[in-house]
Amino acid sequence: MSDPKKPVAPSEQEIGVVVPQAQHFDTPLLLQCGKTLPEYEIVYETYGTLNPEKSNAVLICHALSGHHHAAGYHSVDDKRPGWWNACIGPNKPLDTNTFFIVSINNLGGCHGSTGPKSLNPETQKAYGPDFPIVTSKDWVESQARLADLLEIKQWAAVVGGSLGGMQALQWAIDYPERLRHSVVIAAAPILSAQNIAFNEIARKAILSDPEFHGGHYYETDSFPKTGLILARMLGHITYLSDEAMREKFGRELRAGELKFDYDIEFQVESYLNYQGEEFSKNFDANTYLLMTRALDYFDPAAEYNNDLTQALSRAKCRFMVMSFTTDWRFSPERSQEIVDALIEADKEVSYAEIDCPQGHDSFLLDIPRYTALFTAYMDGIAQEINQ
Amino acid sequence: MNAQKALRSDLNTIIDWIEPESRVLDLGCGDGTLLDQLKQHRNIHGYGLEINPDQIVECVRKGVNVIEHNMDESLSNFKTDSFDMVVMTQALQAVHYPDHVIDEMLRIGKECIVTFPNFAHWRCRFYLLTKGRMPVSKNLPYTWYNTPNIHLCTFKDFEALCHRKSLSILDRTVIDANANASLASKLMPNLFGETAIYHITRHHE
């Protein structure tokens, strides 16, 4: 029996149970790295209804550890909703009464779309480390192909937070005619040395795990669990703010007194270990490596003389950029770089810096000012559609 | 009612002074009314800077480009000569360094429009003279300790600053309490004008 309090049933705020879909692509995809994926599968979910004009479609791009399951529940017994349930659903910013929302698991992922743990048709073994490194550009290309199949010529908006926001930016540059709005949340125009440094430590944790086996661990009955846990623990610290961690854990002890050993003493240690452990059950180490590299490589200005303004001059959509004051992974200054380039390129842009304590992860949460602003912007898009 | 009327009169003058198709930056754009009007009547392309969260949502609702930015911190991210017009309505008296902000406005824009309340208006003078306390009025409703208006000035003060900075005043309009450019406020602006609207530029014509 399901918990009657759990909002698995459709309601004024919830979309209820959703069913993922899969689409196979036979047309080879030439990747930025020069390699080609001969065929691949994209897993995705949709929420809401596509209108007859096909003008109300919104694409959700996911972040490092995200996937296609952004909202609703997979079954009535599902414990947790999709990762962006706070923002997607009836009467939420991404209102499913208005918009047809498409959420894709990116190539290279580990939740159904073709990635390192998928079977390589040439070898009939899992790709493992031989899966080519895909980039934001490649993702945009693969997302565009799915849009073609869904007969969506132009997205009402492409929306994403963090690495997802970077894809929303990439869309505006690569396919200027195919979106009317780009919503870029808690993102950056390019990674800093510090960002790359954190990614490198995460990768090193995985690569140096004896169970990694050069990425061919699928053939063993093990996987680099310790490395993946470490990578996630490290990443998790960067998603939270100092303030949020102090508020949540302080220096609280698990046993209430010091034990003078190296077991878990503080609540924050317990929390990080638990988060890492849970993550390692649902995420693939090779995908983690790939996603961090895709972040490192994100550089939309590279093709335009390393000039972000020049890159964004191609865009034809309107932009909404949002950042969070306590986000130190992609700080407000990084969003401001995007905004400055957009203003210089004479593009339509609004920008807000949301004052809240939750750090980078804020973009996933229902923070009153953020929700109000996000809703106001999306309402404007809805009005354009209805005109 | 008067405040609304005053706002409209203020805006109408500004709209008249802005060339169609201009690139406009509005410092302290509030709920975006001016930019919205300019877009409709002058087909301008503009951005507003604002720090008040509620006003920012209002701008977004109107479809006005609004950038959350504290102009007291710095405007250095805006390129030199990147705007045709930089506007600042009723905010000059609330910034930390008004002279620096005017310099920055004229660096970023070719021309500027500034509006501010006149502290030498006869009501203010009368209030101070008879009560001996800092004037509180409909236009300036705060008390001295909680007012955002930390750099109040008179028209004469402002013109002295323009003179010291060798700025050209291209246009000047003064409106009284009823939002009219009355005869009294035309003849004796520093006594009868409640709000000033200045159109200035660095370049001498």
Side-chain angles (χ1 to χ4, degrees), chain B residues 36 78 96 177 187 195:
Chain B
D36 191 38
F78 293 96
H96 285 160
L187 292 174
T195 298

Side-chain angles (χ1 to χ4, degrees), chain A residues 48-219:
Chain A
T49 312
L50 187 61
N51 64 12
E53 301 80 26
K54 297 181 169 54
S55 62
N56 67 334
V58 171
L59 175 68
I60 305 296
C61 301
H62 70 72
L64 197 157
S65 59
H67 42 68
H68 55 287
H69 185 39
Y73 295 80
H74 275 165
S75 74
V76 289
D77 298 317
D78 214 352
K79 287 202 184 77
R80 275 200 217 119
W83 57 268
W84 219 7
N85 204 59
C87 292
I88 304 170
N91 304 310
K92 292 182 187 175
L94 297 161
D95 192 337
T96 45
N97 291 325
T98 310
F99 298 110
F100 175 67
I101 293 163
V102 180
S103 177
I104 294 177
N105 182 209
N106 278 338
L107 279 177
C110 52
H111 292 89
S113 291
T114 303
K117 70 175 189 182
S118 310
L119 216 58
N120 182 345
E122 283 174 20
T123 62
Q124 290 302 311
K125 283 183 183 171
Y127 276 103
D130 301 328
F131 192 83
I133 290 180
V134 289
T135 64
S136 289
K137 273 190 84 68
D138 300 326
W139 286 331
V140 167
E141 186 60 35
S142 63
Q143 290 157 359
R145 285 188 177 184
L146 184 70
D148 291 341
L149 277 172
L150 299 173
E151 295 175 18
I152 297 162
K153 289 200 177 79
Q154 189 184 56
W155 300 103
V158 178
V159 181
S162 193
L163 177 57
M166 296 171 179
Q167 291 160 65
L169 207 57
Q170 191 82 54
W171 259 97
I173 297 165
D174 288 359
Y175 283 106
E177 311 284 349
R178 295 197 69 173
L179 68 162
R180 295 193 295 279
H181 295 266
S182 172
V183 182
V184 181
I185 312 166
I190 188 170
L191 260 64
S192 68
Q194 189 194 49
N195 294 145
I196 295 171
F198 274 109
N199 283 346
E200 172 55 11
I201 299 171
R203 281 191 295 270
K204 201 80 179 174
I206 293 167
L207 295 168
S208 59
D209 187 320
E211 301 296 336
F212 184 63
H213 299 290
H216 291 286
Y217 50 86
Y218 307 112
E219 294 128 54

Side-chain angles (χ1 to χ4, degrees), chain B residues 175-189:
Chain B
I175 49 181
D176 67 11
N178 299 317
N180 298 318
S182 67
L183 187 63
S185 66
K186 269 180 198 158
L187 292 174
M188 300 179 77

Side-chain angles (χ1 to χ4, degrees), chain B residues 117-131 133-137 139-140 152 191 194:
Chain B
N118 177 25
F119 205 62
H121 185 257
W122 70 269
R123 273 184 225 270
C124 284
R125 298 189 195 199
F126 189 69
Y127 195 107
L128 188 60
L129 186 71
T130 55
K131 299 194 180 185
R133 297 186 60 183
M134 285 299 281
V136 176
S137 66
N139 242 13
L140 298 166
L152 288 160
L191 189 58
E194 202 147 33

